[in-house]
Amino acid sequence: MTAPEEATTDLDVVAGLLRDVPDFPSPGIRFWDLSALLADGPGLAATTRLLAAPGGPAPEIVVGIEARGFLLGAAVAHSLGLGVVAVRKKGKLPIVAASESYDLEYGSATLELPAGVLRPGARALLVDDVLATGGTAAAACALVEGAGATVAAVSMVLELPALGGRERLDGHRVHTLLTR
Ligand SMILES: O=P(O)(O)OC[C@H]1O[C@H](OP(=O)(O)OP(=O)(O)O)[C@H](O)[C@@H]1O
Ligand SMILES: Nc1ncnc2[nH]cnc12
């Protein structure tokens, strides 16, 4: 007699495709790499379904954060029938609404919001791959809110709770699929 097969959930699929790399991009950092997850059809589909369902108010637009948030954000937007806005690193956008600088686990950076694409009052779903210190997501929230839109939720694949990102995003709906 064979044991009944256990159902594989979307979350199992996502967890099975995450990889961690020691000492990248600098010594002491354990870097979580989503390349294998993004390259896997069922993995990307499972990730998209989970990120697209953060709970709370229905989003009207998706905001993808550079760089891996572009891939995930576009997939989520498409699955919901919504458009996507790319929040980019400094110097990449020709027409900028606003800029926000922040620190992260291994450096500092500036994010910029393109001008004229986020309707004031729109409910935005922010999408990225990793929540570490929360500096990146907090900067993206500030850009969205500074444009007069609201943050319906922030959806990310992986949360590193030791780095305090969720606390940094206090007051926002934070939806993460896995913690490590
Ligand atoms: O919560 P935080 O401490 O802010 O870290 C999370 C951010 O760090 C990574 O991006 P990174 O800045 O390495 O840029 P990239 O995606 O453009 O490579 C990751 O994709 C998140 O955006
Ligand atoms: N440890 C980590 N792995 C992947 N992305 C990150 N962004 C910030 N910290 C990270």
Side-chain angles (χ1 to χ4, degrees), residues 2 5 7-8 11 35 41 53 59 64 72 77 89 94 107 109 117-118 165:
T2 54
E5 252 180 56
T8 304
L11 215 45
S35 302
L72 295 167
K89 297 273 170 68
V117 292
L118 205 52

Side-chain angles (χ1 to χ4, degrees), residues 64-129:
I65 304 173
E66 188 161 350
R68 287 155 279 172
F70 292 169
L71 301 168
L72 295 167
V76 168
H78 185 65
S79 78
L80 293 172
L82 300 176
V84 62
V85 173
V87 163
R88 301 216 59 180
K89 297 273 170 68
K90 186 179 172 59
K92 300 289 184 180
L93 291 170
I95 316 172
V96 174
S99 305
E100 276 287 326
S101 296
Y102 59 96
D103 293 323
L104 71 168
E105 205 184 351
Y106 38 73
S108 60
T110 300
L111 285 180
E112 295 184 332
L113 178 72
V117 292
L118 205 52
R119 177 181 61 76
R123 292 187 300 273
L125 171 59
L126 277 58
V127 176
D128 203 357
D129 61 339

Side-chain angles (χ1 to χ4, degrees), residues 29-33 68 104-106 129-130 132 160 163:
I29 303 289
R30 181 185 186 192
F31 190 84
W32 290 92
D33 175 39
R68 287 155 279 172
L104 71 168
E105 205 184 351
Y106 38 73
D129 61 339
V130 175
L160 308 178
L163 295 172

